Amino acid sequence: MMETATRCQAYNVFSQACPTRMVLDRLADKWSLLIMDRLRDEPVRFNQLRRDVEGISQKVLSQTLKKLERDGLVTRQVFATVPVTVEYALTALGHTLSNTIESLAHWAEHNIDSVLAAQREYDAVNA
Amino acid sequence: MMETATRCQAYNVFSQACPTRMVLDRLADKWSLLIMDRLRDEPVRFNQLRRDVEGISQKVLSQTLKKLERDGLVTRQVFATVPVTVEYALTALGHTLSNTIESLAHWAEHNIDSVLAAQREYDAVNA
DNA sequence: GGCAGTGGTTTCCTTAAAGTAACTAAGTTA
DNA sequence: TAACTTAGTTACTTTAAGGAAACCACTGCC
């Protein structure tokens, strides 16, 4: 039986049944955060997204967008132009999450040098 | 040739060579964020961590802790007790990151219901 | 001597995520 | 008519992550 979000919070985030952990699991893939970050400032079309998020394949982009749409984080809007235009954008819910994602990105930008230094030091000691 | 963090920031986070993306990649596994969240308030011993973070195996816990230690986010301290005690704790760097992790966890706690509702609606439409 | 507890490592296997490439469809241009 | 664009899907393969179980060393306890 699934616990409610409230119960989960009252117990612990580390429980397997906790929905919070489900969300964390969902975002912890290779591309979701990157895509949401790209959508932060403006709606972006499929192929533009594919060009901007370097290295992602058509298949995985499509899959990931579908998941994000299913989770209510992203909208998909089709325009009957020729060729057809499909625009992806963050929902209101998606925008509330993107603030956190941005702070994660900021952390990475500001601390990447410390992380790389730590890695070098660790590797030197554990040669 | 590896770009510097500054160059990366000036260009874009979405580039494959960007170190920021390396950090995002590293954190986007199944357990890292969860472990760091558990270490947030106090140092925790190996087996305690294993019991608290439900579902993680001994091997994966050990691997993940090593990665976090290598990245300079977690320290490992051995006490010569019997049986031996090994305590894991966040570094100063790790603490700066844990604030962001906490906000991610908060987001999940507050919005899980919206996400689940969106999923139900999506599944109903795409039956 | 044998079991318990600590904190791991090693091996083997399964599974899920991701990559590659080819294919579709609709319409526009040359 | 053939090629190009958009936005995908499908089939197949590869890779990486994770899980299961057994093993190690150390020592105290009974």
Side-chain angles (χ1 to χ4, degrees):
Chain A
M1 195 65 75
M2 179 72 74
E3 294 174 345
T4 69
T6 308
R7 257 185 94 76
C8 161
Q9 192 173 1
Y11 283 66
N12 71 334
V13 197
F14 309 104
S15 156
Q16 283 179 292
C18 172
T20 298
R21 184 149 151 188
M22 290 164 45
V23 174
L24 248 37
D25 260 24
R26 266 290 298 111
L27 296 174
D29 65 35
K30 200 169 172 182
W31 303 106
S32 294
L33 294 181
L34 230 42
I35 290 173
M36 292 202 53
D37 201 31
R38 180 62 189 86
L39 293 179
R40 181 175 171 75
D41 295 324
E42 45 174 2
V44 184
R45 297 172 60 181
F46 185 86
N47 275 332
Q48 190 60 47
L49 218 38
R50 186 155 82 103
R51 281 186 291 267
D52 288 349
V53 181
E54 265 184 37
I56 196 168
S57 72
Q58 221 165 5
K59 188 195 73 171
V60 173
L61 176 57
S62 172
Q63 281 177 350
T64 308
L65 285 169
K66 254 185 210 166
K67 282 190 207 168
L68 292 174
E69 194 191 351
R70 177 169 184 263
D71 289 345
L73 298 170
V74 157
T75 56
R76 176 180 183 274
Q77 198 174 357
V78 181
F79 299 93
T81 55
V82 167
V84 64
T85 298
V86 181
E87 237 178 43
Y88 291 92
L90 292 187
T91 61
L93 187 63
H95 272 293
T96 67
L97 178 54
S98 83
N99 290 330
T100 298
I101 292 174
E102 203 201 10
S103 85
L104 197 61
H106 273 169
W107 185 92
E109 281 163 13
H110 292 323
N111 296 283
I112 178 68
D113 291 331
S114 304
V115 171
L116 293 176
Q119 290 179 354
R120 277 192 299 273
E121 195 180 336
Y122 182 94
D123 292 344
V125 172
N126 305 68
Chain B
M1 194 69 72
M2 179 70 75
E3 293 175 346
T4 68
T6 308
R7 254 185 97 75
C8 162
Q9 192 171 358
Y11 284 67
N12 71 334
V13 198
F14 308 103
S15 157
Q16 285 181 290
C18 173
T20 298
R21 184 149 151 190
M22 290 163 48
V23 173
L24 246 39
D25 260 25
R26 266 291 298 114
L27 296 174
D29 65 35
K30 201 170 173 181
W31 303 107
S32 293
L33 293 181
L34 229 44
I35 290 173
M36 290 202 55
D37 201 31
R38 179 63 189 86
L39 292 179
R40 182 175 169 75
D41 294 325
E42 45 174 2
V44 184
R45 296 173 60 182
F46 185 86
N47 275 331
Q48 189 60 47
L49 218 37
R50 186 154 83 100
R51 281 185 292 266
D52 289 348
V53 181
E54 267 183 37
I56 196 168
S57 73
Q58 220 166 4
K59 189 194 72 170
V60 173
L61 177 55
S62 172
Q63 281 176 350
T64 308
L65 285 169
K66 254 185 209 166
K67 283 189 207 167
L68 292 174
E69 196 192 348
R70 178 167 184 265
D71 289 344
L73 298 170
V74 157
T75 56
R76 177 180 184 274
Q77 198 174 359
V78 182
F79 297 94
T81 54
V82 167
V84 64
T85 298
V86 180
E87 236 178 44
Y88 291 92
L90 292 187
T91 60
L93 187 63
H95 272 292
T96 66
L97 179 55
S98 82
N99 289 329
T100 297
I101 293 175
E102 203 200 11
S103 86
L104 198 61
H106 272 170
W107 184 93
E109 281 164 13
H110 293 323
N111 296 284
I112 179 68
D113 291 331
S114 304
V115 170
L116 293 176
Q119 289 179 353
R120 275 191 302 272
E121 195 180 335
Y122 182 94
D123 292 344
V125 172
N126 305 67

